[in-house]
Amino acid sequence: MTTFTFPSITPTTNTFELVSNTRTFQSPLTNAVQTTSRKGSLWRASLQFRNLSGDDRQEMQAFLVKLNGQQHRFTLHDHSFTRRGAGGGNLRVNGGSQSGTTLLCDGATASVNNYLRAGDYISFNNELHMVVADANSDISGSVTLSIAPPIRKTPSNNAVVVYSAPVSGVFMLAGPASWDTQVDITSTFNIEAVEDVLA
């Protein structure tokens, strides 16, 4: 299995959604509802490329064929993403064995309000996460990030945290790759992809 870089072609439409791995149980006696969250939440992406022609058309065709269905993986980012936080410095994981929905980091520029903001993406360990609350860095450059989905694999201490676009995760095709071609030799591509939770 090889991980390829997605072609640098901007989609016409781009849909990202978080598929949460939650289960709900309802009591047949009281109708009380309990919900449990489990590991394995992932991102699903739908991309459409309308009327590609020339080099872009052939590059996309070759890329999809090269993936050989679900044999290979590719890095993919949300093309609509614009970071709102100030960022700065060399953000890294501060301490190994972290799990859950909080990530402790250091290496940020010191004393920055809104270092990262709710809605900003980060990635580490080949996982794509969204920051869900504004975060400030302290005087030592440490910052605590509230993220979703929960961490799947514990990151190593000092692992790099990417926060500048493109912020990518590792994805695979969710179905067959195909395209429609019009008589003027333009093609429309519809791509469905899911994050690889084992990457």
Side-chain angles (χ1 to χ4, degrees):
M1 180 182 72
T2 303
T3 300
F4 298 107
T5 300
F6 197 85
S8 57
I9 303 169
T10 303
T12 310
T13 62
N14 172 63
T15 303
F16 261 65
E17 66 172 316
L18 180 62
V19 181
S20 298
N21 191 13
T22 58
R23 293 294 178 267
T24 301
F25 305 93
Q26 186 170 19
S27 168
L29 301 176
T30 65
N31 284 330
V33 176
Q34 293 183 331
T35 304
T36 183
S37 178
R38 302 182 294 189
K39 284 187 175 184
S41 295
L42 53 81
W43 294 96
R44 177 182 298 275
S46 299
L47 300 98
Q48 185 178 69
F49 300 82
R50 291 194 200 107
N51 301 322
L52 291 188
S53 61
D55 290 345
D56 286 350
R57 174 179 172 271
Q58 290 183 275
E59 182 181 358
M60 188 63 73
Q61 287 175 332
F63 175 76
L64 293 174
V65 171
K66 177 172 64 175
L67 291 175
N68 195 28
Q70 294 183 325
Q71 178 185 3
H72 299 296
R73 306 294 186 257
F74 52 92
T75 56
L76 182 66
H77 64 277
D78 183 347
H79 288 77
S80 68
F81 169 57
T82 300
R83 191 182 80 225
R84 298 193 306 140
N90 296 303
L91 197 62
R92 296 187 178 272
V93 173
N94 184 10
S97 302
Q98 296 189 49
S99 61
T101 57
T102 300
L103 183 68
L104 306 177
C105 301
D106 58 12
T109 300
S111 303
V112 176
N113 287 330
N114 292 324
Y115 178 81
L116 289 178
R117 302 198 62 193
D120 287 345
Y121 284 107
I122 62 167
S123 66
F124 57 91
N125 251 12
N126 291 327
E127 298 181 18
L128 181 64
H129 297 270
M130 181 177 282
V131 176
V132 295
D134 293 351
N136 304 325
S137 62
D138 66 18
I139 59 173
S140 65
S142 295
V143 59
T144 300
L145 301 176
S146 296
I147 61 173
I151 298 168
R152 291 193 297 264
K153 298 179 311 219
T154 57
S156 59
N157 184 42
N158 286 326
V160 173
V161 178
V162 177
Y163 61 85
S164 294
V167 183
S168 303
V170 177
F171 285 74
M172 62 189 207
L173 291 176
S178 63
W179 52 88
D180 298 320
T181 303
Q182 289 75 44
V183 292
D184 58 353
I185 315 299
T186 63
S187 297
T188 296
F189 297 79
N190 294 293
I191 299 171
E192 300 289 330
V194 291
E195 195 177 12
D196 182 358
V197 297
L198 298 178

